[in-house]
Amino acid sequence: MATTFSPVSHIRSICYASDSPRTRLLFPGSGNVGYWSASANYVKLRVAARGFSVKQLVVKQPWKKRQVQMGVFRCATIEEIEAEKSMIEKDVKERMEKTIENVRSSFNSIRTGRANPAILDKVEVDYYGTPVILKSIAQISSPDASSLLVQPYDKSSLKAIEKAIVSSNLGLTPNNDGEVIRLTLPQLTSERRKELSKIVAKQAEEGKVAIRNIRRDAIKSYEKLEKEKKLSEDNVKDLSSDLQKVTDDYMKKIDSIYKQKEKKPTITVYE
């Protein structure tokens, strides 16, 4: 730290002050008293001396400038870091579970063996100006292997339900008798069944892609914590390894659901 006084010979030594506001300074041998006033980048030192002129001294603080350039970061607590990790892990599992549900729902729209009310799960009805799921306003049952019965809770909605089924591209012709709606599912050819088997395989692969994307998002979140100095490189590697195990487990779940679907003797789908 460079300092200049006039005259310098009157001061034998200086006791350097700490970096706290207005720390008292003593100058041995001279009886002078000064004060150190800390500001953001500069410190002004005032010296009162008897018998010589007083010259204001401005002392630069280069370390302050470096602190501003580098930035001052508050270290995250262990609890905060663990909370962020837990939040990422929770989000991963919730999204992966949702993906499994979506795969099952897609498979349910593909009938194996007999008629399944689930093929109407995606049908939306314009109920008094509000789109609602069909099964929320009607009871759907399967009286036999090739037909479905739709019984609305409100009979005035029969026409709206009939219109929704026709426009859903399910390939079904509703029979409205004023009380209920009957649906007869036609038989499919062996060629069509092969095509539908391919659709099932495609849906399974789409589920796996979704699982991989969730894993990718979690890795990015871990890397962000590493950049923020909240996780070390080794931490990220360990967490990524654990994440891969979770990903593999959910991949196996999709494979299991797919194999169960393949084992069915016949496949009929209405998309």
Side-chain angles (χ1 to χ4, degrees):
M1 183 182 298
T3 60
T4 58
F5 288 91
S6 178
V8 178
S9 58
H10 287 263
I11 302 177
R12 294 182 179 177
S13 61
I14 296 177
C15 296
Y16 291 97
S18 64
D19 189 19
S20 58
R22 297 192 65 79
T23 301
R24 188 173 182 179
L25 301 179
L26 298 178
F27 300 88
S30 63
N32 298 323
V33 178
Y35 289 95
W36 187 288
S37 299
S39 63
N41 296 315
Y42 297 92
V43 174
K44 294 180 179 180
L45 183 64
R46 295 176 177 82
V47 179
R50 180 180 299 179
F52 62 89
S53 60
V54 178
K55 187 175 183 179
Q56 189 180 55
L57 173 68
V58 177
V59 183
K60 291 187 177 180
Q61 290 181 300
W63 66 90
K64 286 286 186 181
K65 186 176 181 180
R66 286 198 297 271
Q67 285 182 350
V68 173
Q69 290 174 343
M70 292 186 295
V72 179
F73 299 99
R74 180 182 69 84
C75 294
T77 64
I78 295 177
E79 290 77 11
E80 289 173 336
I81 296 173
E82 288 298 325
E84 290 193 59
K85 285 166 54 182
S86 297
M87 190 163 55
I88 293 172
E89 292 168 0
K90 181 181 178 182
D91 179 66
V92 165
K93 290 184 178 180
E94 286 179 352
R95 291 174 62 191
M96 287 188 177
E97 282 293 338
K98 184 65 177 178
T99 299
I100 295 297
E101 291 176 11
N102 290 339
V103 171
R104 282 200 178 104
S105 177
S106 295
F107 283 178
N108 284 339
S109 67
I110 300 174
R111 180 173 64 90
T112 57
R114 58 176 293 122
N116 187 342
I119 68 174
L120 298 177
D121 280 353
K122 297 179 181 179
V123 175
E124 284 192 351
V125 181
D126 185 3
Y127 188 61
Y128 294 105
T130 303
V132 297
I133 299 299
L134 173 57
K135 63 182 180 181
S136 68
I137 61 171
Q139 181 179 354
I140 306 172
S141 59
S142 177
D144 55 60
S146 61
S147 64
L148 294 173
L149 188 66
V150 180
Q151 186 171 6
Y153 302 125
D154 177 7
K155 291 182 181 180
S156 65
S157 65
L158 274 170
K159 288 186 178 181
I161 292 174
E162 182 180 0
K163 182 180 178 180
I165 294 173
V166 171
S167 61
S168 65
N169 296 322
L170 289 173
L172 301 175
T173 302
N175 180 12
N176 182 358
D177 64 5
E179 295 288 333
V180 297
I181 292 177
R182 289 181 173 82
L183 300 170
T184 300
L185 281 64
Q187 294 294 320
L188 297 179
T189 64
S190 58
E191 183 179 351
R192 178 58 177 163
R193 291 194 180 99
K194 290 179 182 179
E195 292 176 1
L196 298 178
S197 294
K198 293 179 181 179
I199 292 176
V200 174
K202 182 181 178 182
Q203 290 175 342
E205 183 56 33
E206 287 173 351
K208 289 183 177 181
V209 170
I211 294 293
R212 294 189 193 102
N213 289 339
I214 295 169
R215 175 188 175 277
R216 178 200 61 198
D217 292 343
I219 292 294
K220 288 183 177 179
S221 297
Y222 288 142
E223 290 174 346
K224 182 175 181 290
L225 292 179
E226 182 184 1
K227 289 180 180 179
E228 294 173 351
K229 307 301 180 183
K230 294 180 180 178
L231 292 177
S232 68
E233 184 178 352
D234 288 339
N235 291 149
V236 173
K237 287 182 180 179
D238 291 341
L239 290 169
S240 298
S241 178
D242 293 341
L243 178 61
Q244 185 60 53
K245 293 177 182 178
V246 174
T247 301
D248 292 341
D249 288 342
Y250 278 92
M251 290 291 194
K252 290 177 182 177
K253 287 183 180 181
I254 291 179
D255 285 336
S256 177
I257 299 171
Y258 172 60
K259 288 177 181 178
Q260 288 176 6
K261 196 71 175 178
E262 274 192 320
K263 286 179 181 179
K264 300 295 181 179
T266 59
I267 298 178
T268 305
V269 69
Y270 299 91
E271 305 169 81

